Amino acid sequence: MDRNIFQFIWKYSGRQQVLLALLTIASFPVLYASLELPKIIVNQALSDPQPERTILGVAMGPVTYLLVLCCGFLALVLANGAFKMRINTFKGVVGERQVRRLRFMLLDRMLRFPLPHFSKVSQGELISTVAAETEPLAGFIGDAFAQPLYQGGTMLTILLFLFIQQPTIGLVSIALIPVQAYIIPKLQIKVKMLGKDRVRKVRQLSERIGESVENIREVRVNGTIRYVLADFSRYLGSIYWIRLEIYKRKYFVKFLNNFINQITPFFLFSIGGYLVLQGDLTIGALVAALSAFKDLTAPWKELLDYYQNMIDAQIKYEQISDQFSPPFLFDWAAPTPATPPDLKAPLRLEAVTWANEYGDRMLHRLSLEVPPGALVGIAGTNALALRRLAEVLVRLSPPTSGRIVIGDQPLDAIPLELLGRRMAYASPEPRMFAGSMMQNITYGLRHRPPPDDPETMTPARRREIEEAEASGNSVDSMDGIWTDFAMVGATDWASMRPWFMQCLAATGGEAAVYQRGLREVFDPDDYPFVAQPLLRARHWLRDAIAERGLDTLLARFERDRFNPYASLAENMLFGLPDGRRLTVARMVADPTIRALMEAHGLWDTAVRIGRRFAMRVVGVYRDSADGDVMIMRYPHIDDALFEELVEAVTRLKRRGERPQRLHQEPDTLLFATMFLMIVPKRDGMDFAPPPERETIMTIRRRLLSDMPQELRGKVAIFDPDLYHPRLNVMDNLLFGRITTEDPRSITQLRSLVDEALERTDARAFVLILVTLGEVGIGGSLLPISVRQRLQLVRGLTKKPDIFVIYQALNSYDPDERLRIFLRMKELLPAMTLIVLEERIADHPAFDALYDLEDGRLVPRGQRRADMDEDTMPGETEDTDEPALRLLSRSSVFSDLPEAMLRRLLAASEWRTVSAGDFIYRSGEQSEFVFVLADGEAELVRLMPDNQPPLHIAYIKPPEVMGDVELLAGVRRFSTMRARTDLRLLRLDGATILRLLPSVPDLPMRVIQQIGKRLTSEAPPT
């Protein structure tokens, strides 16, 4: 990326800059004529009128001559203004196009940042740079060449005019310009450096704001709002003082510049007046000179401003260029005819090494060959090294040395498009994009830009393409479907449905998604392709229930029959409110519904019964912890409504007898609402006596025969041939209410529902319905277990040739993870599946199993010593090397700088412990920390009366022991003994405590290790 802004401008807009220059030069004759013409008007038409003058051979009188000159002057003013308007508009177009190009380039480079670089820059800083810091460059890019040419040319034209009038006047006019040209830029440099500091502080503030937003939970939980606000205040104060200093210097420069500009008219009046009195200068020439000088100050001021803007733009552009030019920027290769169509080839690691920025090697000369279609497991207790290996395999992080080859193609030479289509990756922190689950699942298929048809292309789309090309942006449209169905052998969403179902079943999420889908509520107008198969299933289910004699288990919605298993609101409307303009909780507030109830004598009874029902609900659930039970029984009562209900009942109890006469209007509406929420068979038939039921049916018949205009569109009527938008999928399929609580009968009905969906091919649409739900920002609306399954489905959906999975299912138990991996391989037998986990049990399904030890791959069953031939020459000469590798593998000390690790080793020594002996016992002093190198230890609790110790956890290499007591500053409260013969490294506790201020996250690493230890699996027998 060019670091000089002029190189960038000329490279991408040189032709436009030349056109701007030509247009600018063409305006100078018009400008000169507009300066000359006022002098002619004063000297000839006014000061020396003649009976007759000629213009272009046409004779005219004094008045006509004056009017023609004035009209000519007006025409020149218009022409000059037209030139300025055209030049400025063209400059704006050029500037905005190049800023659009620059932003596109920055976003492209951001997508190619190496992953470690994202830990050094914040989202807020990148967003601020791309969106805000590039904005001022638009004006300068348009002015880069045209502005000095136009303003300099204007200034020279005016000076030429002044020298022609009188050389002395010309010299007076330019006398102070060199002074300004020297002093003003010197003062402006400091202002620009302050501006650079301001930009840096604003970036830091953006970073702090972004960090606070990401960690808002921690801020609130720890109550550190005052601390965070103080931090913000510090940055805002720094920005304030910088801006204040900028204002002081800026306005001093302006004061000085204005003062110098005002001195020149003093000399013009004095010297020019003297020349007029001496007869060496005409009054018209002096007036024209004064007018010209007035015009001269504007371009001179613009040139000084241009110099300011040039320095500012260069500084900003250099900062942007440096920020978006990190080392090891990925460069995506474009597809060529030699590019293979897929990645069905052996994957080889050839002496791959990866080291962090401190030079510590996480991976050391790894060599591995994975045949196509193999299932390979790699286990390692060093989570960081395991992550780096996974990222190296999928080209998220480049190796420090060595290379990865697929077939005969180096991984870094394979085009990104091919990698995106044929390789998948899943990590323990799945990332979701804002949108629906389906959009996230099919994200890996977005490789086919929607084509543009020239014959049907709109003028707006043509302009969009032209501007995108002029700005070097992508011309692909975002209005169509990007999903490349051909990647999975489909042509549209319908034909892709079976494959989606298979992927969902392979990841084991089908049952949970299906059960959730039965509870979904959706509008059939939004998804008619889902509603139609569900209606077919409803009709099949209705006939099946009748054929099997199960009608008594279901109370269907029938127009002429009261349904005691439905709410009184559903019975009255024979439907449900639409949920937007009318809700069950606010039905009685609708004047039309209230008028109907009052006209049929139901209102007072509704208030009386509703009051009694409200008192019962509040009495049962007010102090109950079974809030979920209440929500299930009364789904229309939310927390706010329940609080209103509690307050109304409390007021009732305070008022005493005859409360019906003391109701406030809100309480009256609340009790009438509770009446409509009553389900007779659930809440008691005494809450819906026969007269009230008959009145409700009377109101229903009136509504069905002639729905009032005010309610049309607000009520969704139950119709056996239409999907209801306010009932969930299960209720829509049954089209009624279940009349029994017998578990066997309910199971029988649900089995029939499952069969109905299978027979009508509607089950898949229930699953798809769930995937249409929003996932929230970053998937925040979904639990981690669901997000982890979704990313596996996303990877499987595109039928990858290579799938790398790094602890992507760590929220599931090991057996479930293994079952999912095996189902994935069964679904795609030709897919190469590489699984990286902390622990992987031996299983015959794996074609190969490796352990990542000391940054090296050791085949399962082969001892680490057998791999020593891979040691670099001279490496064994360093006696600290084995201990250094051991510390770098441990989760507590991994990723520390090598210099710090060597300080730990300076006070360390190797120890061996025989099987059954104790490493340390509870009650002893906490003086040392131990790192297990070989063998297996056991964390136990000593029991009284010589009882066998109580097992707590197993310890395996390279875990750390004794660290928590040392950090806590207490005696040993745990006991550690050797389960097998073992070798361990003993570290001095005092040295660790001295290093603690330099490693503030060390206690958190210890806590994480303890958490993993207490959930560890039993060792192999």
Side-chain angles (χ1 to χ4, degrees):
M1 188 172 179
D2 299 317
R3 294 192 77 251
N4 187 287
I5 191 171
F6 285 98
Q7 293 177 344
F8 170 80
I9 294 171
W10 184 255
K11 183 176 182 180
Y12 295 108
S13 64
R15 181 173 175 272
Q16 289 81 7
Q17 298 293 344
V18 171
L19 291 176
L20 269 173
L22 294 176
L23 193 61
T24 300
I25 293 172
S27 70
F28 293 153
V30 176
L31 173 63
Y32 185 87
S34 67
L35 296 174
E36 182 70 23
L37 199 55
K39 186 187 77 171
I40 297 174
I41 291 173
V42 174
N43 288 340
Q44 296 184 12
L46 297 179
S47 300
D48 185 22
Q50 299 292 328
E52 183 178 285
R53 289 185 183 273
T54 59
I55 297 179
L56 299 177
V58 178
M60 55 191 72
V63 175
T64 305
Y65 181 69
L66 174 64
L67 292 176
V68 169
L69 290 178
C70 290
C71 290
F73 178 74
L74 180 61
L76 288 173
V77 170
L78 290 174
N80 198 29
F83 268 111
K84 287 183 179 179
M85 182 181 69
R86 180 56 184 160
I87 290 171
N88 289 331
T89 303
F90 195 15
K91 287 195 296 185
V93 170
V94 173
E96 291 300 328
R97 281 178 177 173
Q98 298 316 309
V99 165
R100 178 179 174 180
R101 179 190 297 273
L102 177 60
R103 285 172 171 162
F104 187 80
M105 291 171 60
L106 296 181
L107 292 172
D108 173 71
R109 296 176 76 84
M110 181 187 71
L111 295 176
R112 296 190 284 120
F113 281 175
L115 285 187
H117 187 67
F118 284 103
S119 62
K120 302 176 184 178
V121 294
S122 66
Q123 294 181 22
E125 189 176 346
L126 294 175
I127 293 170
S128 174
T129 302
V130 174
E133 294 183 27
T134 57
E135 187 72 25
L137 296 180
F140 178 76
I141 291 174
D143 291 340
F145 296 99
Q147 183 77 343
L149 178 62
Y150 180 76
Q151 300 300 341
T154 300
M155 189 173 174
L156 290 175
T157 302
I158 295 172
L159 288 175
L160 176 64
F161 173 79
L162 290 173
F163 274 98
I164 290 174
Q165 307 310 310
Q166 173 59 257
T168 305
I169 295 294
L171 290 173
V172 170
S173 301
I174 67 171
L176 295 178
I177 287 179
V179 177
Q180 288 176 286
Y182 178 78
I183 295 177
I184 302 300
K186 293 288 186 182
L187 297 175
Q188 288 172 340
I189 287 290
K190 181 59 179 177
V191 175
K192 295 310 170 187
M193 298 309 295
L194 287 170
K196 186 175 182 179
D197 290 340
R198 182 188 63 82
V199 170
R200 184 168 59 252
K201 290 295 183 182
V202 170
R203 284 184 181 178
Q204 292 172 354
L205 177 61
S206 300
E207 180 180 353
R208 300 299 290 173
I209 293 173
E211 184 181 49
S212 299
V213 171
E214 291 178 0
N215 299 322
I216 188 63
R217 292 181 179 85
E218 285 70 20
V219 171
R220 292 183 180 175
V221 166
N222 293 287
T224 57
I225 291 178
R226 186 171 180 178
Y227 171 80
V228 173
L229 289 177
D231 193 27
F232 287 160
S233 178
R234 180 183 62 175
Y235 282 104
L236 292 174
S238 300
I239 295 171
Y240 166 79
W241 290 114
I242 291 174
R243 292 183 68 88
L244 183 61
E245 187 67 20
I246 289 174
Y247 281 130
K248 289 180 180 179
R249 293 178 178 272
K250 178 180 178 182
Y251 287 110
F252 174 75
V253 170
K254 184 170 288 189
F255 160 76
L256 184 61
N257 195 34
N258 288 337
F259 176 73
I260 294 174
N261 286 336
Q262 294 304 317
I263 291 179
T264 304
F266 163 77
F267 289 117
L268 284 176
F269 276 117
S270 57
I271 297 174
Y274 173 78
L275 292 174
V276 170
L277 293 176
Q278 293 297 318
D280 295 331
L281 186 68
T282 64
I283 294 178
L286 179 60
V287 171
L290 289 169
S291 176
F293 177 76
K294 182 180 178 182
D295 292 337
L296 180 68
T297 57
W300 176 236
K301 180 178 180 300
E302 292 292 337
L303 284 174
L304 291 175
D305 289 343
Y306 171 81
Y307 180 77
Q308 276 188 0
N309 296 334
M310 180 187 69
I311 297 174
D312 189 30
Q314 180 60 37
I315 291 173
K316 288 181 178 177
Y317 184 80
E318 286 180 2
Q319 288 178 314
I320 293 171
S321 176
D322 292 341
Q323 185 179 12
F324 282 79
S325 300
F328 306 113
L329 189 71
F330 280 103
D331 187 14
W332 308 124
T336 64
T339 300
D342 53 46
L343 301 179
K344 296 177 180 178
L347 183 149
R348 298 194 308 278
L349 278 69
E350 300 176 353
V352 170
T353 298
W354 189 93
N356 61 17
E357 57 188 359
Y358 302 109
D360 302 328
R361 288 171 295 190
M362 297 291 104
L363 307 175
H364 182 60
R365 296 184 60 80
L366 301 186
S367 296
L368 173 69
E369 180 165 348
V370 180
L375 172 58
V376 176
I378 300 176
T381 54
N382 189 334
L384 182 60
L386 210 60
R387 176 188 287 273
R388 291 293 175 251
L389 176 55
E391 292 175 351
V392 164
L393 286 172
V394 296
R395 200 180 165 190
L396 285 177
S397 184
T400 306
S401 62
R403 67 171 188 163
I404 300 176
V405 180
I406 300 179
D408 57 355
Q409 292 274 333
L411 184 63
D412 57 2
I414 296 177
L416 174 63
E417 181 180 356
L418 178 60
L419 284 179
R421 287 174 177 269
R422 310 308 306 170
M423 181 178 281
Y425 174 65
S427 69
E429 306 93 16
R431 302 298 182 183
M432 298 287 139
F433 296 90
S436 68
M437 290 189 204
M438 181 60 77
Q439 288 172 329
N440 277 277
I441 289 172
T442 59
Y443 187 78
L445 301 180
R446 295 180 187 176
H447 292 282
R448 186 182 63 85
D452 285 308
D453 186 356
E455 296 182 359
T456 60
M457 191 183 300
T458 63
R461 175 60 182 153
R462 294 182 189 277
R463 289 195 302 271
E464 181 183 338
I465 293 175
E466 290 173 1
E467 282 301 320
E469 289 177 340
S471 304
N473 281 208
S474 169
V475 297
D476 295 328
S477 173
M478 287 296 293
D479 295 333
I481 297 175
W482 277 69
T483 306
D484 188 358
F485 296 104
M487 286 178 61
V488 295
T491 57
D492 53 22
W493 294 112
S495 58
M496 198 183 82
R497 177 166 50 89
W499 173 243
F500 166 73
M501 294 284 293
Q502 294 177 53
C503 293
L504 197 61
T507 57
E510 182 182 7
V513 172
Y514 172 69
Q515 292 302 322
R516 178 175 172 178
L518 292 177
R519 299 190 299 270
E520 288 288 324
V521 177
F522 73 96
D523 192 331
D525 292 336
D526 295 335
Y527 306 110
F529 66 95
V530 178
Q532 289 303 318
L534 293 179
L535 282 175
R536 292 197 303 268
R538 175 197 288 178
H539 297 151
W540 187 94
L541 185 62
R542 178 186 58 199
D543 297 337
I545 289 176
E547 290 174 2
R548 303 183 191 190
L550 301 177
D551 292 296
T552 57
L553 301 181
L554 196 64
R556 295 189 178 278
F557 297 125
E558 298 179 9
R559 293 174 70 93
D560 300 322
R561 181 178 297 179
F562 184 88
N563 192 331
Y565 295 92
S567 69
L568 297 183
E570 292 171 309
N571 273 288
M572 178 187 293
L573 300 176
F574 193 61
L576 279 170
D578 67 344
R580 294 185 295 271
R581 290 168 293 179
L582 188 67
T583 64
V584 173
R586 295 290 180 262
M587 270 180 61
V588 296
D590 187 280
T592 305
I593 292 178
R594 178 167 181 170
L596 281 170
M597 295 176 69
E598 289 177 343
H600 290 81
L602 186 61
W603 181 259
D604 292 337
T605 304
V607 174
R608 175 174 51 80
I609 296 176
R611 181 179 67 245
R612 185 158 54 94
F613 180 56
M615 294 178 70
R616 191 178 82 171
V617 171
V618 171
V620 172
Y621 293 104
R622 181 175 185 176
D623 299 320
S624 173
D626 297 331
D628 293 338
V629 176
M630 188 193 76
I631 292 173
M632 291 176 62
R633 289 178 63 86
Y634 309 107
H636 300 293
I637 301 180
D638 56 20
D639 291 341
L641 185 59
F642 185 71
E643 289 300 324
E644 293 179 23
L645 208 58
V646 171
E647 293 175 6
V649 171
T650 302
R651 284 193 292 269
L652 270 178
K653 293 179 179 179
R654 286 201 301 261
R655 287 169 182 160
E657 73 275 354
R658 306 188 69 182
Q660 66 275 12
R661 295 200 330 182
L662 303 174
H663 289 333
Q664 299 177 0
E665 181 63 16
D667 293 350
T668 301
L669 294 177
L670 198 57
F671 296 144
T673 297
M674 291 302 296
F675 171 76
L676 293 179
M677 292 186 182
I678 292 172
V679 177
K681 280 292 187 180
R682 180 193 67 192
D683 301 315
M685 295 299 293
D686 58 318
F687 283 114
E692 280 67 34
R693 295 205 297 269
E694 183 54 38
T695 303
I696 287 174
M697 291 300 295
T698 301
I699 296 175
R700 176 201 289 189
R701 286 189 285 268
R702 179 171 175 180
L703 289 174
L704 293 179
S705 62
D706 185 19
M707 180 70 69
Q709 184 67 32
E710 296 79 8
L711 292 180
R712 291 181 182 176
K714 294 183 180 180
V715 178
I717 302 297
F718 295 139
D719 189 322
D721 296 320
L722 294 178
Y723 190 92
H724 199 280
R726 300 301 301 160
L727 295 175
N728 62 33
V729 173
M730 175 66 83
D731 288 342
N732 261 290
L733 293 172
L734 296 174
F735 198 66
R737 296 282 188 253
I738 297 175
T739 62
T740 179
E741 294 185 2
D742 178 30
R744 289 177 298 179
S745 299
I746 293 174
T747 301
Q748 193 174 7
L749 269 179
R750 291 196 171 180
S751 298
L752 270 180
V753 169
D754 296 342
E755 185 179 353
L757 293 172
E758 289 288 352
R759 286 180 176 270
T760 57
D761 197 24
R763 181 184 173 92
F765 291 98
V766 175
L767 300 174
I768 291 174
L769 182 62
V770 177
T771 64
L772 299 176
E774 296 292 316
V775 302
I777 298 176
S780 57
L781 297 180
L782 303 177
I784 183 65
S785 58
V786 175
R787 297 204 302 271
Q788 288 184 341
R789 286 189 190 270
L790 278 183
Q791 73 167 341
L792 288 185
V793 177
R794 178 165 63 194
L796 279 178
T797 300
K798 60 183 181 181
K799 295 185 177 180
D801 297 325
I802 301 173
F803 203 147
V804 177
I805 300 177
Y806 162 63
Q807 297 196 147
L809 292 172
N810 57 6
S811 61
Y812 296 88
D813 64 77
D815 293 336
E816 175 64 13
R817 294 202 294 265
L818 181 59
R819 286 192 294 268
I820 291 175
F821 298 149
L822 296 182
R823 285 197 298 264
M824 291 171 62
K825 275 297 293 179
E826 183 180 355
L827 180 65
L828 291 172
M831 174 181 67
T832 301
L833 183 59
I834 303 176
V835 178
L836 299 97
E837 300 269 349
E838 283 193 8
R839 292 184 177 89
I840 300 178
D842 292 338
H843 194 279
F846 284 96
D847 297 296
L849 279 172
Y850 296 88
D851 292 304
L852 187 62
E853 298 181 0
D854 297 340
R856 302 170 186 267
L857 284 176
V858 181
R860 180 66 60 87
Q862 183 175 346
R863 292 182 56 82
R864 173 69 184 85
D866 299 336
M867 303 294 292
D868 284 343
E869 61 270 16
D870 291 335
T871 303
M872 291 293 290
E875 206 172 60
T876 55
E877 297 173 6
D878 189 350
T879 57
D880 286 341
E881 188 65 25
L884 195 63
R885 288 202 304 269
L886 178 63
L887 289 183
S888 65
R889 288 170 51 207
S890 69
S891 58
V892 174
F893 300 112
S894 64
D895 230 16
L896 294 186
E898 184 173 336
M900 194 173 292
L901 294 180
R902 291 191 181 277
R903 288 177 62 186
L904 288 175
L905 295 179
S908 67
E909 61 180 10
W910 289 100
R911 289 294 181 92
T912 57
V913 181
S914 302
D917 291 346
F918 289 95
I919 303 169
Y920 57 79
R921 298 171 183 260
S922 59
E924 295 178 357
Q925 289 287 346
S926 303
E927 299 179 299
F928 303 102
V929 170
F930 303 89
V931 186
L932 185 59
D934 294 304
E936 190 172 86
E938 184 181 16
L939 176 63
V940 298
R941 179 181 179 183
L942 298 178
M943 304 301 291
D945 301 328
N946 294 322
Q947 296 183 41
L950 177 65
H951 166 78
I952 298 177
Y954 292 103
I955 315 297
K956 298 180 179 180
E959 292 189 39
V960 182
M961 300 172 286
D963 43 8
V964 65
E965 294 102 335
L966 176 70
L967 296 178
V970 298
R971 290 179 176 270
R972 302 286 188 193
F973 50 75
S974 61
T975 299
M976 201 74 65
R977 70 176 181 182
R979 187 172 182 270
T980 65
D981 291 341
L982 53 82
R983 187 168 69 103
L984 46 81
L985 183 68
R986 193 181 75 175
L987 304 177
D988 179 57
T991 304
I992 293 176
L993 293 177
R994 284 196 297 270
L995 294 177
L996 188 59
S998 303
V999 194
D1001 63 337
L1002 186 64
M1004 180 56 67
R1005 299 186 188 188
V1006 172
I1007 293 172
Q1008 291 173 342
Q1009 177 184 256
I1010 292 173
K1012 293 179 180 179
R1013 176 179 298 163
L1014 296 178
T1015 57
S1016 63
E1017 305 169 38
T1021 57

